[in-house]
C-alpha cells in the first residue's frame, strides 16, 4: 500500500504547512496575506504557495476563505450573533463583502443559512 502524497491530512503532518494551517484555524479573522502565511512557515512566498497548493489541493488564500465560511456557517447556525459581528470575526471589514463571499463559496446567503437552522 502506498503512502498518501497529498491532502489535508498529509499537510497537517508537514512541519511547515501545518504551521500555516494552525495559524488560519486559530486566527481566521486576521488579515492574512500570502506573505504573512509564508512567514509563519519560514518559507519564501512562492515556495510556500506551491507547497501549500500541492499538499492541500487548493491555494492558501482559497483555503482561508473556505475555512472562514465554514466558521461563519457554524456561527450562523449555533448563535444569535449578528451577521455583521460574524463578518468581522471572519476578517471582513464590511457585511456586504462578507455576504458576497459567503454566497460565492456556499451558494447560499447568510440569512438563508440562519433561517434553515
Amino acid at each position: 500500500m502506498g503512502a498518501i502524497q497529498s491532502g489535508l491530512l498529509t499537510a497537517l503532518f508537514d512541519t511547515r504547512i501545518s504551521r500555516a494551517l494552525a495559524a488560519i484555524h486559530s486566527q481566521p479573522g486576521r488579515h492574512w496575506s500570502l506573505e504573512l502565511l509564508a512567514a509563519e512557515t519560514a518559507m519564501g512566498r512562492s515556495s510556500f504557495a506551491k507547497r501549500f497548493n500541492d499538499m492541500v489541493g487548493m491555494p492558501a488564500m482559497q483555503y482561508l476563505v473556505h475555512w472562514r465560511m465554514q466558521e461563519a456557517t457554524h456561527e450562523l447556525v449555533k448563535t444569535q450573533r449578528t451577521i455583521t459581528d460574524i463578518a468581522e470575526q471572519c476578517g471582513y471589514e464590511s457585511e456586504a463583502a462578507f455576504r458576497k463571499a459567503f454566497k460565492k463559496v456556499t451558494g447560499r446567503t447568510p440569512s438563508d443559512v440562519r433561517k434553515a437552522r
Side-chain angles (χ1 to χ4, degrees), residues 20-33 36-37 40 60-61 63-72 75 81 84-94 98:
L21 289 168
I24 288 170
H25 294 171
S26 67
Q27 301 175 66
R30 184 172 173 189
H31 293 283
W32 290 111
S33 65
L36 286 173
L37 287 170
E40 289 286 324
M61 299 313 287
Y63 181 86
L64 172 63
V65 170
H66 281 267
W67 181 257
R68 285 174 169 174
M69 295 311 134
Q70 194 170 359
E71 290 289 303
E75 291 294 310
R81 294 178 62 213
T84 301
D85 285 345
I86 294 168
E88 288 174 5
Q89 175 189 332
C90 291
Y92 289 86
E93 293 180 10
S94 77
F98 169 74

Side-chain angles (χ1 to χ4, degrees), residues 71-87:
E71 290 289 303
T73 299
H74 174 71
E75 291 294 310
L76 289 165
V77 171
K78 300 290 184 185
T79 73
Q80 292 296 321
R81 294 178 62 213
T82 67
I83 293 173
T84 301
D85 285 345
I86 294 168

